[in-house]
């Protein structure tokens, strides 16, 4: 696995999940996740996904050298999410980070691009379930792990106001 | 303090040698019912042999963590996911449930279902039994629950009253370690002894409960001409909280010193498995039982047949099949002999074993009157973020409709507020995630926002509706259906009476009122393709199983209309006790296990009295005295 | 019997402040080792270390109870409360320091040394000259300049004798506000419950509990209740087997432990903020952790000064700290040649929670005596 690919995968994952790089590395699973995507979809698809992502970023990057969020959103929709081959894979990467589970790709996808044994629904490791970002997003613990402590459930949830209904900005923008 | 499991206790008994011992008591099943009786008999110096169908390894923290790992790794996190598949001692699994077409039993899974109503009810066949993954709510039954026939003309009366059982409830609450406060639990006639305190203080209500309580407390409900006000009330729970003076909470079970299980940490995983063993499981009582050197345990021992003396009708031995490994079909046939026998294999396996042994009882009641709770779920989104998915599975609920005159007409229920959102109804939060990403096109910030909006506002109410005894709801066997070891599998015939369905329909109406009072968006839709879809009064409902198995060897005061007496002793076989939920004449609106524990504590006293009273040796059917007899022979 | 270094209540207060600092000082090394273990691996070791860490929290609470009982003012945010690692320990040897290390044989050796039973050969030797005043040390005598204790057990023995001595001529010694006492309703772990302290007897019990649970002072490997002292818990990691009651200290006979030294994040030993690339995201995370830890200590201070119910919040806080450490140790530390990040436990300077922005990172040079 090449280091630049890993860096790019990480950067893609930051944009897909809205969690910071240290949070993603903080799961201890980033390398395993990239390997999982490779096993499930093949090297070629991963390369194409990262190429498309690079292109999307380039397209969205303005004169200040930073991608503009609105333009990046549009570029990702056009180049990645709506792509027959890359869209389902990108959505699976999101779910992989959030749930710790690799979901089997839809049959339309496997019919076109081939089914690999590793493509079926599976957890990556016992730890991946516990590290699902979903739980952090809703300020809860994964049931069965990372307990929050006796009685803490009586307190209001520690959810950042920007993620509460009606109080946040439009996340895609 | 951790609970010391005596090292080697699961291996110290050689089944062949044990066959030559006549134990004071042979117990089938190492769940809470068996463990309680074994512990009390062992403490009184009696010799006991426990036969356990599941693989019996010493209970260690590491072994327990094996369950945990299996759970973490499982893609389906249903309530049997921590437990390995074992074809030699199979168990039902919630995911097995299928719609039953009339006249064609569904035999695709261990529990054969001949319907008409399908259920996903489960139990676990591992050492410690189903309490390994129970949720551990422990309400007492109401005094009126013991007399529903006389009071409401429904179900059957118990040969016991609340007052008779009350001291055993006290003892049971201490045995399993219940956290609750007397003030909260004294309602609808439930009374406690002067000065009684639970072992531990009640668990705090969740933030979600409190949010619901803000609007629901004081909500008027008129039923049967009686007006009452609802309130959110904490449930008593068998999980470690803050101890009251003098009580030392029991932590994890292990052969070596560990400090785990002090206090519930809010893992929200009580079902299927509490990672820190703050939740009670029968391994805790079993470990204490095995401290007595005279309490023996043989694992991988599936009781196959109960042998009865033709003339005296006393049980002479239990024949069991001992498999070598969970994944091999090889087994040896062994026998267990004792002065008394106790079947503690639960309300499905007890009658299954009796019926497979050709012992349906002269009144034919063994296996009949199967009961469970019928669960109706209703789900909604609260107007504000409640932080759902935190706390134990359930901390509070509405229990005001557990009793009252309306029970002459319709079933009573209690209502759980689920801290795990729509998990049970709709597989939240993973289904929400998939939906937001795949159908909603969400990612990044908008996904995070969407998740809070969709998941952290979830409210799910679970109505646990009573099912009265009905002889045609029953467990049977048929040689056409056997398992790997040649044991006949249980066949369940089950339907929900109109009485229950009236309660269900009322529950759904009430849920709409509650949601309206909360300003919550009702998202409840019952899917006609759901395996447990039931239509009543033109409306369809999804009904789920309650895992509260009861009624299949009902107790009573008349041998003609019951299987066991008030001590859970078989009317027909004077040295046989059938213990557990099967003895209960009503399930009413209590999760059954605390009552099972209380009944077993009461039976333990009766068993000890019988052992002391019966000095006459039993006639042995065996003639081979040539084998060396181990020293434990007690005659 | 040599002259006591404790003459009056003020001396006792100084000693008990030191006791709290000492109990706390063992927590960061235990936490670092514990959380460096990869999740779902090394279960035996993880449990042993975790339990000891939790019990150190209990000891900290007990020391606060004694301090409160005699009218002292616990303060975990005071300057120097958190030592700078590596720090020396007073066990009479000068061959090791306490580092913040990943789980490793070295770490376990250090833990054994921290908890090692050590009774000075003669009473006179209880206090020994501080060998190196330039370096921070965990247990120095707060009243006898330049002296430190032979072992933690000796240190507590000195306090207990001091308490007895002072109580005998100062009837008002236990003048503290009883409502500050933390009782079992607020704190229990598998390994014991908080003992409220109101008089000499309860004070003695609290301190003896600390000493016994740590090192098995004179009780052997198990105490009467069948509890293993910390030292022997760690010995199990060295010897590879669990003890059973009645075992010889060198020959545990219980089940074997499974240890895999490789299933560990290679965190940088005693990392400092200065080791982090400035302005990096990970440096920000490390700094944020220290701020969180600092507010945790502030919360504990409040719990120990009249609001014992806050201890429950402190425990939730601790669970969140756990998530913070986990996140750190899984991140590579840029420029360290493949090592991983780790919490630095560098606290801001000051006597209590500052109102202004926290100055973290400069603390190192200042906190040492
Ligand atoms: C998901 C779930 C949640 C629950 N929540 C609650 C709750 O909140 N409150 C409550 O009160 N109850 C609850 N229950 C029910 C509770 O778990 C049971 O009532 C209780 O465990 C019954 O105990 P038992 O000892 O009678 O039977 P079991 O626990 O089923 O034990 C029977 C034992 O016998 C063994 N056995 C079976 N067949 C044989 C054989 N042929 N030979 C030898 N051994 C055999 C089994 O392996 C097992 O060890 C729940 C159950 C489930 C599944
Ligand atoms: S909430 Fe958690 S810690 Fe508490 S009993 Fe349930 S699983 Fe165990």
């Amino acid at each position: 696995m090449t280091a630049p690919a890993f860096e790019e995968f990480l950067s893609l994952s930051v944009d897909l999940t809205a969690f910071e790089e240290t949070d993603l590395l903080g799961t201890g699973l980033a390398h395993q996740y990239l390997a999982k995507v490779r096993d499930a979809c093949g090297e070629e698809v991963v390369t194409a996904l990262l190429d498309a992502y690079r292109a999307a970023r380039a397209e969205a990057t303005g004169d200040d050298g930073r991608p503009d969020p609105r333009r990046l959103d549009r570029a990702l929709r056009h180049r990645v999410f709506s792509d027959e081959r890359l869209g389902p894979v990108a959505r699976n990467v999101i779910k992989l980070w959030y749930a710790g589970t690799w979901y089997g790709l839809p049959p339309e996808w496997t019919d076109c691009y081939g089914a690999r044994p590793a493509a079926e629904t599976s957890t990556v490791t016992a730890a991946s379930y516990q590290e699902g970002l979903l739980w952090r997003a809703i300020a809860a613990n994964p049931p069965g792990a990372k307990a929050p402590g006796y009685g803490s459930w009586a307190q209001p949830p520690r959810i950042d106001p920007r993620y509460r209904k009606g109080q946040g900005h439009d996340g895609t923008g | 303090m951790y609970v010391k499991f005596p090292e080697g206790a699961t291996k110290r008994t050689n089944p062949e040698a044990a066959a030559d011992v006549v134990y004071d008591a042979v117990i089938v099943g190492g769940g809470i019912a068996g463990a309680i009786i074994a512990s009390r008999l062992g403490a009184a110096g009696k010799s006991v042999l426990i036969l356990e169908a599941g693989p019996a390894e010493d209970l260690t923290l590491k072994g327990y963590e094996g369950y945990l790992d299996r759970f973490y790794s499982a893609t389906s996190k249903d309530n049997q996911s921590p437990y390995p598949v074992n074809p030699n001692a199979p168990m039902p699994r919630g995911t097995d449930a299928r719609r039953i077409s009339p006249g064609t039993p569904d035999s695709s899974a261990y529990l054969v279902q001949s319907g008409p109503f399908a259920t996903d009810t489960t139990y676990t066949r591992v050492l410690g039994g189903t309490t390994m993954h129970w949720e551990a709510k422990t309400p007492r039954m109401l005094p009126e629950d013991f007399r529903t026939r006389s009071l409401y003309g429904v179900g059957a009366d118990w040969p016991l009253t609340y007052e008779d059982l009350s001291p055993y409830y006290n003892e049971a609450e201490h045995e399993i370690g219940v956290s609750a406060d007397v003030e909260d639990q004294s309602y609808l006639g439930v009374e406690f002894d002067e000065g009684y305190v639970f072992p531990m203080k009640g668990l705090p209500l969740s933030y979600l409960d409190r949010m619901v309580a803000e609007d629901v407390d004081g909500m008027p409900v008129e039923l049967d001409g009686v007006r009452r006000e609802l309130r959110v009330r904490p449930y008593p729970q068998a999980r470690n909280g803050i101890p009251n003076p003098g009580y030392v909470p029991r932590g994890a079970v292990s052969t070596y010193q560990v400090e785990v299980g002090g206090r519930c940490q809010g893992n929200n995983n009580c079902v299927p498995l509490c990672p820190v063993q703050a939740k009670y499981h029968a391994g805790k009582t079993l470990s204490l039982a095995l401290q007595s050197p005279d309490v023996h345990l043989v694992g991988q021992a599936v009781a196959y047949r109960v042998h009865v003396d033709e003339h005296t009708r006393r049980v002479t031995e239990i024949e069991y099949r001992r498999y070598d490994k969970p994944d091999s079909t090889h087994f040896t046939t062994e026998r267990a002999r004792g002065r008394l026998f106790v079947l503690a294999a639960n309300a499905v396996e007890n009658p299954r074993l009796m019926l497979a042994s050709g012992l349906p009882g002269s009144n034919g009641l063994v296996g009949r009157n199967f009961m469970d709770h019928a669960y109706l779920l209703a789900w909604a989104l609260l107007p504000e973020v409640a932080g759902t998915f935190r706390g134990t599975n359930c901390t509070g609920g509405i229990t005001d409709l557990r009793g009252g005159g309306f029970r002459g007409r319709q079933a009573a229920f209690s209502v759980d507020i689920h801290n795990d959102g729509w998990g049970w109804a709709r597989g939240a939060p993973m289904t929400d995630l998939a939906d937001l990403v795949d159908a909603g096109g969400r990612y990044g910030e908008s996904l995070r926002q969407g998740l809070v909006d969709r998941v952290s506002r979830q409210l799910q109410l679970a109505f646990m509706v009573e099912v009265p005894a009905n002889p045609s709801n029953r467990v049977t066997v048929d040689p056409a259906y056997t398992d790997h070891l040649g044991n006949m599998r249980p066949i369940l015939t089950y339907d929900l009476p109109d009485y229950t369905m009236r309660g269900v329909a009322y529950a759904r109406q009430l849920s709409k009122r509650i949601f309206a009072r909360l300003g919550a968006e009702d998202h409840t839709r019952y899917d006609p393709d759901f395996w447990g879809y039931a239509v009543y009064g033109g409306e369809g409902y999804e009904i789920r199983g309650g895992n509260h198995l009861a009624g299949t060897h009902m107790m009573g005061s008349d041998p003609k209309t019951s299987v066991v007496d008030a001590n859970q002793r078989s009317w027909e076989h004077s040295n046989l006790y059938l213990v557990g939920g099967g003895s209960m004449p009503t399930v009413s609106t209590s999760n059954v296990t605390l009552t099972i524990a209380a009944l077993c504590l009461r039976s333990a006293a009766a068993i000890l009295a019988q052992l002391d009273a019966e000095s006459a040796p039993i006639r042995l059917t065996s003639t081979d005295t040539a084998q060396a007899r181990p020293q434990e022979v007690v005659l | 019997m040599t002259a006591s270094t404790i003459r009056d209540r003020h001396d006792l207060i100084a000693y008990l402040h030191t006791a709290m600092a000492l109990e706390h000082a063992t927590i960061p090394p235990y936490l670092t080792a514990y959380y460096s273990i990869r999740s779902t691996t090394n279960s035996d070791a993880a449990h042993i270390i975790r339990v000891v860490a939790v019990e150190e929290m209990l000891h900290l609470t007990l020391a606060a109870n004694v301090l409160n009982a005699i009218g002292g003012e616990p303060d975990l945010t005071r300057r120097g409360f958190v030592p700078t690692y590596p720090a020396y320990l007073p066990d009479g040897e000068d061959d090791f320091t306490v580092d913040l290390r990943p789980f490793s044989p070295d770490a376990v050796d250090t833990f054994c040394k921290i908890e090692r039973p050590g009774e000075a050969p003669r009473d006179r030797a209880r206090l020994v000259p501080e060998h190196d005043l330039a370096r921070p040390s965990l247990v120095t005598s707060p009243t006898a300049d330049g002296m430190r204790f032979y072992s933690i057990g000796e240190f507590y023995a000195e306090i207990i004798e001091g308490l007895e001595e002072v109580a005998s001529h100062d009837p008002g010694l236990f003048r503290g506000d009883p409502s500050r006492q933390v009782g079992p309703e607020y704190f229990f772990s598998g390994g014991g419950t908080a003992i409220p302290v109101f008089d000499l007897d309860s004070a003695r019990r609290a301190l003896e509990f600390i000493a016994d649970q740590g090192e098995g002072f004179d009780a052997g490997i198990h105490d009467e209740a069948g509890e293993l002292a910390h030292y022997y818990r760690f010995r199990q990691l060295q010897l590879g087997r669990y003890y059973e009651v009645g075992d010889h200290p060198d020959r545990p006979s219980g089940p074997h432990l499974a240890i895999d030294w490789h299933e560990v994040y290679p965190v940088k030993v005693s990392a400092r903020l200065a080791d982090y690339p400035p302005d990096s995201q990970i440096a920000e995370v490390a700094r944020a952790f220290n701020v969180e830890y600092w507010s945790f200590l502030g919360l504990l201070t409040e719990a120990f000064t009249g609001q014992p119910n806050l201890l429950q919040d402190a425990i939730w806080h601790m669970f969140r700290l756990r998530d913070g450490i986990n996140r750190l140790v899984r991140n590579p530390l840029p420029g360290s040649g493949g090592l991983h990040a780790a919490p630095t436990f560098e606290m801001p300077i000051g006597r209590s929670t500052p109102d202004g922005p926290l100055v973290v990172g400069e603390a190192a040079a200042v906190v040492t005596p």
Side-chain angles (χ1 to χ4, degrees), chain B residues 1 4 7 61-62 65 69 72 201 241-243 249 255-257 259-260 262-263 265, chain C residues 40 43-44 47 50-51 185 188 190-191 225-228 233 242 244 255-256 258 319:
Chain B
M1 198 63 182
K4 167 91 181 163
E7 199 185 354
L61 188 58
K62 223 178 288 178
E65 286 172 346
D69 261 0
Y72 290 146
K201 298 186 202 307
I242 300 176
T255 51
Y256 47 89
Q257 183 156 38
E259 301 304 342
V260 173
R263 197 178 281 185
Q265 307 171 340
Chain C
T40 73
S43 148
D44 291 310
H47 281 297
R50 182 187 52 79
V51 167
E185 63 277 34
F188 81 92
E227 268 274 311
L228 260 189
R233 287 177 193 254
Y242 286 101
E244 294 287 331
H256 290 268
F319 281 112

Side-chain angles (χ1 to χ4, degrees), chain C residues 20-58:
Chain C
M20 286 185 68
L22 166 66
E23 293 305 333
H24 168 268
T26 58
I27 294 175
Y30 292 149
L31 292 185
T32 306
Y34 175 52
Y35 291 115
S36 72
I37 293 173
R38 286 175 192 269
S39 93
T40 73
T41 72
N42 275 314
S43 148
D44 291 310
H47 281 297
I48 288 174
I49 304 173
R50 182 187 52 79
V51 167
V52 173
V54 170
E55 289 179 355
E56 296 300 345
M57 280 281 294
L58 176 60

Side-chain angles (χ1 to χ4, degrees), chain B residues 28-34 51-54 79 122-131 133-139 271 301-304 344-347 349 352-353 487 546-549 579-581 590-594 596:
Chain B
V28 177
I32 183 172
L51 300 175
E52 168 52 47
N79 58 29
T122 61
Y123 51 87
T124 309
R125 288 167 102 190
V126 298
L127 190 58
T130 312
T131 52
H133 83 185
W134 72 324
E135 187 200 320
K137 268 203 201 85
T138 53
V271 178
V302 187
Y304 177 73
N346 82 33
E349 292 294 327
R352 184 204 67 73
L353 178 60
N487 270 302
N547 307 308
H548 298 151
L549 315 171
V579 303
S590 285
N591 313 59
V592 291
T593 311
L594 180 76
I596 293 176

Side-chain angles (χ1 to χ4, degrees), chain B residues 554-611:
Chain B
M554 208 147 109
M555 65 165 59
S557 41
D558 182 349
K560 287 196 282 301
T561 54
S562 56
V563 178
V564 297
D565 66 13
N567 290 327
Q568 307 192 77
R569 181 163 84 156
S570 156
W571 290 114
E572 274 181 56
H573 312 284
S574 61
N575 65 340
L576 176 68
Y577 287 75
L578 293 116
V579 303
S583 301
M584 296 168 63
T586 59
V587 279
S588 298
T589 54
S590 285
N591 313 59
V592 291
T593 311
L594 180 76
T595 303
I596 293 176
L599 288 173
C600 287
L601 287 164
R602 198 167 178 279
S603 296
I607 291 170
L608 283 171
Q610 185 178 353
L611 281 173

Side-chain angles (χ1 to χ4, degrees), chain A residues 141 143-144 147-148 150 153, chain B residues 64 135-136 203 237-240 263-271 273-280 391-393:
Chain A
N141 61 301
Y150 179 84
W153 53 81
Chain B
Y64 192 87
E135 187 200 320
L203 265 76
Q237 318 232 23
R239 50 178 54 76
N240 291 337
R263 197 178 281 185
C264 165
Q265 307 171 340
N267 274 297
N268 199 339
N269 200 55
C270 321
V271 178
L273 189 67
C274 172
V276 297
Q277 301 184 53
K279 185 187 74 175
Y280 172 84
T392 72
N393 286 172

Side-chain angles (χ1 to χ4, degrees), chain C residues 131-363:
Chain C
H131 48 81
D132 181 356
L133 278 172
R135 306 294 288 272
S137 162
L138 291 189
V139 187
T140 50
S141 163
T143 57
D145 266 357
M147 302 296 268
R148 50 183 208 87
F149 281 90
Y150 184 83
S151 74
I152 296 177
E154 291 287 359
F155 172 74
Y156 281 107
E158 182 81 5
I159 304 183
I160 292 170
E161 280 172 25
L163 271 168
E164 288 165 347
E165 173 62 23
V166 178
S168 69
H169 59 72
D170 177 358
L173 176 61
F174 291 94
R175 64 182 68 165
D177 176 356
S179 72
R180 285 191 172 195
Q181 291 299 316
V182 175
E185 63 277 34
Y186 303 111
F187 197 123
F188 81 92
S189 73
T193 61
I195 303 167
V197 176
F198 306 105
D199 53 18
L200 181 58
D201 193 49
S202 45
R204 208 189 276 129
R205 267 190 297 127
L207 296 176
E208 277 167 0
F209 180 88
I210 303 180
D212 287 0
Q213 195 170 52
E215 320 181 340
F217 203 32
D218 45 27
I221 66 171
H222 287 92
D223 68 9
E224 310 87 74
E227 268 274 311
L228 260 189
H230 292 176
Y231 171 69
Y232 294 104
R233 287 177 193 254
F234 287 135
R235 282 292 282 163
Q236 298 178 134
L237 291 174
Q238 290 182 320
L239 299 169
R241 284 186 86 160
Y242 286 101
Y243 285 109
E244 294 287 331
V245 174
D247 278 348
H248 184 275
D250 294 335
R251 287 187 298 279
S253 68
H256 290 268
L257 288 79
I259 297 178
D260 186 344
W261 301 109
H262 300 288
E263 288 290 358
V264 172
Y265 292 103
V267 303
K268 182 168 169 64
V269 175
S270 296
R272 326 272 319 154
L273 283 176
D275 299 326
Y276 285 76
D279 301 328
S280 61
Q281 224 180 62
I282 190 73
E284 194 43 57
V285 176
R287 239 186 314 269
F289 175 84
N290 286 347
V291 172
E292 276 284 301
Y293 197 79
W294 170 256
S295 76
F296 169 66
L297 294 179
L299 194 57
L300 282 180
T301 303
E302 285 178 64
F304 293 150
T305 50
Q307 291 171 266
N309 55 327
L310 284 180
L311 215 54
Q312 183 168 292
D313 303 53
I315 287 166
W316 306 337
H317 204 122
M318 204 156 165
F319 281 112
R320 292 201 298 275
L321 289 169
R322 163 201 63 198
D323 297 342
I325 305 184
N326 271 329
R327 216 164 295 145
L328 271 173
V329 301
R330 292 166 186 176
N331 268 275
L333 180 62
S336 67
L339 296 178
H340 276 225
T344 73
F345 296 97
E346 288 159 281
M347 294 297 107
I349 318 150
R351 286 206 65 83
S352 55
T353 316
D355 298 330
L358 296 172
V359 196
V360 189
E362 295 163 23

